[in-house]
Amino acid sequence: MSKTTSADANQPVWNNLFAVCSVTILVLCFGHTLGTARLRNEPGQENGGTQGNSKQQAAAGGAEQSATQKYFTDVVLINQNGEKMRFYSDLLQGKVVIINSFFATCQGSCLPMNRNLEKVQQALGDHVGKDVFIISISVDPLVDTPPKLKDYSKKLNARPGWYFLSGDKENVEFALKKLGQFVDDKQDHLNIFIIGNERTGLWKKAFGLAQSDELIKVVESVLNDQAAGAK
């Protein structure tokens, strides 16, 4: 699986895709073309799940931003607990993440897709909130307020480390566009999981309605990835 480390920072992050297809699942492995794509953190920093840890990472890295941070930016979203979260520094930096888009009043694929995430959460156990974080972004932020997302998260038995995000419409749309998940009509939302290891630069896409055991294998492959040359 290729990981690119240099190219035009203005190109989309999802360039250079290649597909691996089977009956039950579609996985697309892709690298981002953002210059310094691979970040190394000191032990104890790479899995931080709080804003404080993110600030420590930023301080350790100095004033220079990585190309990944410049691409995603620190646009602010709001989680189901009403807490503000910076898109890159609090949600992505140094983490393994599973990202999807949905809306809480969806009568179609959203709930089955998120039930799959519930099964992934159960399979990963204590890794969630420590080694893996789940990021579900609403495509209907004007309706999906934090209290409504809080109620929705309870239906899925979401544990700490699974964030349901909305916020200012402009901010949410910006983040979704960066992920290639923006749609004009919420009914057209994608049923795709983006699974990434920001620390090593390995990113994959998987069909969110595939068999949960197949999705778990994809997540584990990204979680267990090591940067080239790492022992």
Side-chain angles (χ1 to χ4, degrees), residues 34 65-77 85-93 171 174-175 178:
L34 297 175
Q65 287 187 338
S66 72
T68 315
Q69 182 173 4
K70 290 178 182 178
Y71 177 83
F72 286 112
T73 80
D74 270 338
V75 63
V76 174
L77 304 179
M85 305 194 77
R86 297 168 296 175
F87 189 37
Y88 176 76
S89 296
D90 296 327
L91 293 168
L92 301 179
Q93 185 178 17
N171 289 1
F174 178 87
K178 289 295 183 179

Side-chain angles (χ1 to χ4, degrees), residues 40 50 58 65 94 103 108 110 112 124 128 138 157 171 179 202 213 222 230:
R40 300 286 187 92
T50 66
Q65 287 187 338
F103 62 102
C110 291
L124 292 173
V128 176
S138 172
N157 301 304
N171 289 1
L179 293 166
L202 176 64
D213 57 344
V222 175

Side-chain angles (χ1 to χ4, degrees), residues 197-226:
N197 188 327
E198 196 275 337
R199 181 170 53 86
T200 69
L202 176 64
W203 294 85
K204 296 182 179 182
K205 286 184 179 180
F207 181 47
L209 297 173
Q211 294 294 320
S212 59
D213 57 344
E214 295 292 338
L215 292 168
I216 291 165
K217 290 177 183 178
V218 178
V219 173
E220 289 177 340
S221 72
V222 175
L223 174 62
N224 294 329
D225 183 57
Q226 294 184 345

Side-chain angles (χ1 to χ4, degrees), residues 188-199:
D188 296 330
H189 70 87
L190 302 182
N191 297 319
I192 295 293
F193 292 166
I194 299 170
I195 305 157
N197 188 327
E198 196 275 337
R199 181 170 53 86

Side-chain angles (χ1 to χ4, degrees), residues 3 7 35 37 64 88 128 133 138 173 201:
K3 304 174 188 176
E64 184 179 356
Y88 176 76
V128 176
F133 295 82
S138 172
E173 290 182 351

